[in-house]
Every structure is written in structure tokens, then in C-alpha cells.
Amino acid sequence: METARPASLASPETVGVTNPGGSSPLVLTCDHASNFLPPEFGTLGLAAEELSRHIAAALDATLVETRISRLVIDCNRPLDAPDLVPPVSETTAIPGNAGLSQKQRAARIALSWQPFHDAVADIIDKRLARGLETRLVSIHSFNPVYNGKRRPWHIGVIHDEDRRLAAPLVAALQRLAGVTVGINQPYSPADRVYFTLERHARPRELPCAMIEIRNDEISDEAGQRKWADLLTGIFSDLDPSSGSQGSGRCGLGHSVEPVN
């Protein structure tokens, strides 16, 4: 999905909110929605081929998305994370992120991280104040090959011990012919990728889950439409009460359940 691009650090348009009054109980976040680098950052010392990443979703739901590349600052990380401003992307060093001063780091937080999390919190709190059912889903994509290893999953569902949303979502995806579903694959909360949900859903006891779609599945408009339609149908019929919220850590393992 194409979004307006902020011209510079001075622009307020570093976070986008679409359909804030959506009828769906879903609030979708795309923490890594853009590969845009404001001109102040140049290319961060990277070649152009390192800068292509894209994901979109279509539902009658509220969408909160970043409009600044995660290479500038990763909104799905806590402020004390070593990769909040990532020094390396997979195996590629990012020269423009080395040796930042506290002032430079604070500027990046104010540019994208803080507005993004403020927007998510504002949307959720307004919904809850109106008594609206709210479920938080974070949507991401992943590379088919990482550190030389091919990843077989077409889509992954990431969750912690709260499986109210994840369990029926996984069950619905497993009914799709020819789709291999990763459960806490290619990542799990233990990989520190669950921050947005931990910050906004868990303290409010909202059903939540994270979706990871393999990049080659959504690399063109046909693939994007395919997965948007599939997920729209699944979420329209989803009943979070059919999941479970346990006290153990069983949801943190890297289990995989393929679909034949």
C-alpha cells in the first residue's frame, strides 16, 4: 500500500492512521510498513538493493503504520533494545547507524517511535472508552532465506501464552490447502519481536497475535490481494473465545505445524 512520504524530519507525517472509526474489532499495526528514508539520512551508507520491503493489509479495521524505514529506528523494539537503531540488518552493517550521539538517538525516537506508539495507544484507549471490542494484530513480513537458510512457511503466527486469538487463527490457516503455517516461526516472542503487542495489548488484556507473511508471497499486487482476501475472510469469522489464555509458557516454543 502506497502512503504519503514525509519530506523531512520536520514533517509530522511519520505515522499513518487509516480508518480510525472502522467497524471491525481489529486494530492492525504495521510496525515496519515503509522502506522510506528521509533525505537527512541519505542511504545510511547502504546500497539501493538493501532497501526494498513492502507489506499491506485490507480490512474494515483501523490501521496504524509507520512511514519511516525500520533501518532508521525499529518501532517494534523497546527503547533499551540494542537494535532499536539497528547496527546490522541480517549480515549487512549499517554505517549510518554507527556511533550515534544521545541527541541523534533521541531525535530518531521523536521522529517515528514515539508518534507510532502514541497513535496506537490513543486508538485503543478511545475504543475502550466507547466500550468497543478490540483485538490487536501486528502484521509483518519475512525473508524467504535468512542467513543462508530457506524458510518453508508461507505464513507464521506469533503468540505468547495468550492464545485466544492465535489458536483460532492458526486453525483457520491450517485449513487452507497448500499453505505451510509456522507457529512461533520464523520468530517467537523469545526473539524480542513482540514488543508492540506486549506494550499495548497485554496490559489491557486484549486478545492479540502477530502475523508474519513470507515476502515472496506478497511481492506483487496479485499476492498482496490474495493474502488480504484470505485474511479478511478468516478474521471476519474468527471467534477469539475459542482460543485459550494459559499461565504457562507453552506458546513460546518454536513449534511448526505444516499443512499438506
Side-chain angles (χ1 to χ4, degrees):
M1 178 167 52
E2 289 298 321
T3 61
R5 291 183 165 186
S8 70
L9 289 176
S11 172
E13 300 301 324
T14 59
V15 175
V17 178
T18 302
N19 199 24
S23 61
S24 170
L26 291 173
V27 174
L28 305 177
T29 69
C30 288
D31 318 56
H32 305 147
S34 176
N35 67 356
F36 176 61
L37 291 171
E40 288 88 343
F41 297 109
T43 64
L44 293 173
L46 295 173
E49 60 268 20
E50 301 289 348
L51 300 176
S52 58
R53 190 162 297 186
H54 179 78
I55 187 169
L59 283 167
D60 184 21
T62 299
L63 169 66
V64 184
E65 60 182 331
T66 59
R67 291 178 174 174
I68 297 291
S69 171
R70 66 183 297 185
L71 299 181
V72 173
I73 187 165
D74 193 331
C75 291
N76 193 30
R77 296 292 187 272
L79 290 176
D80 60 354
D83 55 350
L84 175 71
V85 178
V88 176
S89 178
E90 192 171 348
T91 60
T92 303
I94 305 174
N97 288 347
L100 296 184
S101 67
Q102 286 299 317
K103 183 176 180 180
Q104 289 172 317
R105 188 179 180 91
R108 296 198 187 191
I109 293 169
L111 167 68
S112 183
W113 190 99
Q114 196 65 58
F116 172 76
H117 288 288
D118 286 349
V120 175
D122 182 63
I123 289 291
I124 292 175
D125 289 343
K126 285 180 178 176
R127 289 180 60 88
L128 296 181
R130 294 168 57 198
L132 298 178
E133 180 184 3
T134 300
R135 312 165 190 168
L136 189 61
V137 176
S138 183
I139 299 179
H140 295 250
S141 65
F142 66 95
N143 291 329
V145 178
Y146 185 74
N147 284 334
K149 291 187 63 176
R150 181 160 293 278
R151 291 156 150 178
W153 316 284
H154 299 98
I155 188 169
V157 177
I158 315 304
H159 66 88
D160 59 9
E161 65 268 27
D162 182 352
R163 295 179 288 127
R164 290 175 293 169
L165 191 57
L169 176 57
V170 168
L173 288 167
Q174 288 176 331
R175 290 192 287 270
L176 299 177
V179 175
T180 300
V181 183
I183 302 176
N184 280 331
Q185 288 281 18
Y187 307 107
S188 83
D191 297 312
R192 301 180 297 107
V193 299
Y194 214 62
F195 173 70
T196 295
L197 299 178
E198 290 171 342
R199 179 180 177 90
H200 298 286
R202 298 313 309 275
R204 297 172 174 87
E205 299 184 347
L206 303 178
C208 63
M210 179 174 168
I211 293 175
E212 289 272 1
I213 306 173
R214 202 173 68 197
N215 279 348
D216 58 341
E217 289 287 307
I218 51 172
S219 61
D220 58 24
E221 186 174 349
Q224 293 161 19
R225 174 54 53 192
K226 166 193 165 183
W227 278 105
D229 289 345
L230 286 172
L231 290 173
T232 297
I234 287 172
F235 277 119
S236 295
D237 297 332
L238 209 61
D239 177 12
S241 64
S242 64
S244 63
Q245 185 171 10
S247 59
R249 303 300 289 178
C250 59
L252 294 180
H254 279 87
S255 58
V256 183
E257 298 190 20
V259 176
N260 296 322

